[in-house]
Amino acid sequence: MSTENEGNPVPPAPSAPPVPVDTPAASADTAPGSVPEAPAEADGTPKYPADAPAYPQSAPQSAPQSAPEPAAASAPVDPARGDETAAHAAGSPAAAQGDWPPPAPPAVPAYASGDGAGAGGWGSTYQAPEPKPGGRRGGLVAAVAVAALVAGGIGGGVGYWAAERNDNSSNSTTVSASDTGPAPKRDAGTVAGVAEAALPSVVTLEAQGSNGEGGTGTGFIYDTQGHILTNNHVVASAADGGKLSATFSNGKKYQAEVVGKAQGYDVAVIKLKNAPSNLKPLQLGNSDKVAVGDTTIAIGAPFGLSNTVTTGIISAKNRPVASSDGGNSKASYMNALQTDAAINPGNSGGPLLDSRGAVIGINSAIQPASSGGGMGGSGQSGSIGLGFAIPVNQATTVAQQLIKTGEPVYPVIGASVSLDEQSDGATITQEGAGGSKSVTPNGPADKAGLKPGDVITKLDETVVDSGPTLIGQIWTHKPGDTVKITYERGGKEHSVDVVLGERKGDS
């Protein structure tokens, strides 16, 4: 599976419209550029009224100089233009009978300068702007579900067009709704109602490290003291002497600082400086109670487009995902909620809401597409309907610890396991990091009798198919919890209870 965060290239614009082929040939008695004489009735009166539209004195250069032979009636239909194109291809009745005046070719639009296919014309392809230097391209490599971190790099983005039309002409055929009637009703349980209530509590984050690198992401108000919950990978660059700001949906911008971050969980807590007194925290839901098929609403700033709302469902639960930014950083692990709500770079750290507007997860990663170049030249892909969110129950446990002490606490079994994705369980390695023992002496696994070479296949009732899956499952617990571990040794299956230990800080 691809680990690159890629999207689809921007399709080229359509070529210039074809000039109709049913323009009549010039008569041998008519000089080029002259106006042909209009036909008359037998008594000499004009066949058409005097105010009939004049035939153009000359056709565009691309118009044919002689009438074409009528096409066969079975001419293929252009799928882009339907039956109308087929009618022109076969020759319309008016053209075949020589009625006057023949239809004039359409005017060439101003944006179709040149021959309609050259550079700068209608047929030119879109060129995305060059990204500014210093952009963060945080691609997430997932060990179990391959995903990509969705923090947008500063300077990275996607080209888009905003067109405004102000048509006040009296001959418009459109019908406008009356402004005097009642406004559309948006109940609290609708998507519009949820978005209206939640948007004032969601912020767009801009982080920049002392080296100029950084990124954009999202966060949401956690409490009235000004704490904001987000992803570690969104704000990590600003943790040591960098700059961090949060912009609300009303445009107000505040400086912020990192209170604590947990790289392993990919969770961070920041706090607003000079926080306003009217902060409204988002309601926290219960991620253990969600079901596959439940409605989801994601809010974030995909590709820097702040206050974007998308919808979907819970596609799966307990999806093991391991991730890193593609550099030398250690992986993060989550037992994720999977959603098909559109999540893109810049959505990281934003809330995943249920139909009531309660937070059930923190949007963190996507499965990247395996095709083509980056969207808008950013090197990051767009949504393909596979998004992953950290369950809010786990995120709030981590957040409380970060607010209290500033550092994370991880539950551990005291054993090193292989991170190979293609396995039938989590194998305890023969040697730990840096040549240390793989089973910590007098640690939880050692006390339970686990040894190097044992293959852990279950944690409680959850099947363990790899090391990342085991870690993600362990990290849904707290230090001191007792878990049942099923393992294989010498072809035989065994089970043992293990009391989880703890590790403080990101090592």
Side-chain angles (χ1 to χ4, degrees), residues 391-475:
V392 73
N393 289 11
Q394 179 182 16
T396 52
T397 299
V398 177
Q400 291 167 2
Q401 185 67 41
L402 293 175
I403 292 173
K404 182 179 179 180
T405 67
E407 65 177 353
V409 176
Y410 299 93
V412 297
I413 62 171
S416 297
V417 295
S418 172
L419 298 180
D420 185 5
E421 301 170 32
Q422 307 299 325
S423 63
D424 296 323
T427 303
I428 299 178
T429 57
Q430 296 297 325
E431 190 177 81
S436 63
K437 292 184 177 181
S438 61
V439 178
T440 304
N442 205 34
D446 188 30
K447 291 179 180 179
L450 294 172
K451 298 180 180 180
D454 289 347
V455 180
I456 299 174
T457 57
K458 278 187 180 181
L459 182 79
D460 293 329
E461 297 303 316
T462 302
V463 174
V464 173
D465 57 5
S466 65
T469 301
L470 175 64
I471 296 172
Q473 284 294 323
I474 291 173
W475 284 2

Side-chain angles (χ1 to χ4, degrees), residues 56-277:
Q57 294 186 1
S58 61
Q61 293 181 1
S62 57
Q65 298 302 312
S66 60
E69 293 293 329
S74 60
V77 176
D78 185 342
R81 300 189 64 187
D83 294 340
E84 180 183 0
T85 301
H88 280 296
S92 64
Q97 297 175 13
D99 284 353
W100 180 265
V108 179
Y111 47 81
S113 59
D115 60 2
W122 191 8
S124 62
T125 58
Y126 168 72
Q127 297 295 326
E130 291 292 334
K132 299 178 182 178
R136 183 177 185 276
R137 309 271 181 92
L140 171 69
V141 180
V144 181
V146 180
L149 292 175
V150 284
I154 292 177
V158 59
Y160 67 96
W161 297 263
E164 294 184 358
R165 297 192 63 179
N166 186 15
D167 186 1
N168 296 320
S169 60
S170 59
N171 59 352
S172 173
T173 60
T174 60
V175 178
S176 299
S178 173
D179 292 333
T180 60
K185 187 177 181 181
R186 298 180 178 92
D187 295 330
T190 63
V191 174
V194 169
E196 183 179 15
L199 278 169
S201 300
V202 179
V203 296
T204 299
L205 301 176
E206 295 181 10
Q208 187 174 41
S210 55
N211 60 355
E213 293 186 357
T216 59
T218 309
F220 60 92
I221 302 301
Y222 179 69
D223 59 27
T224 57
Q225 285 72 47
H227 290 109
I228 292 173
L229 200 53
T230 186
N231 284 138
N232 169 72
H233 74 264
V234 171
V235 300
S237 61
D240 299 317
K243 297 178 181 179
L244 181 62
S245 66
T247 304
F248 284 79
S249 59
N250 61 7
K252 292 185 178 180
K253 189 173 185 177
Y254 296 85
Q255 298 304 307
E257 60 184 354
V258 177
V259 172
K261 58 188 182 69
Q263 184 270 328
Y265 293 118
D266 198 16
V267 172
V269 175
I270 67 174
K271 188 174 183 180
L272 299 176
K273 299 178 180 179
N274 302 316
S277 58

Side-chain angles (χ1 to χ4, degrees), residues 354-367:
D354 63 16
S355 59
R356 304 170 302 159
V359 181
I360 55 174
I362 301 178
N363 301 318
S364 300
I366 59 174
Q367 162 67 53

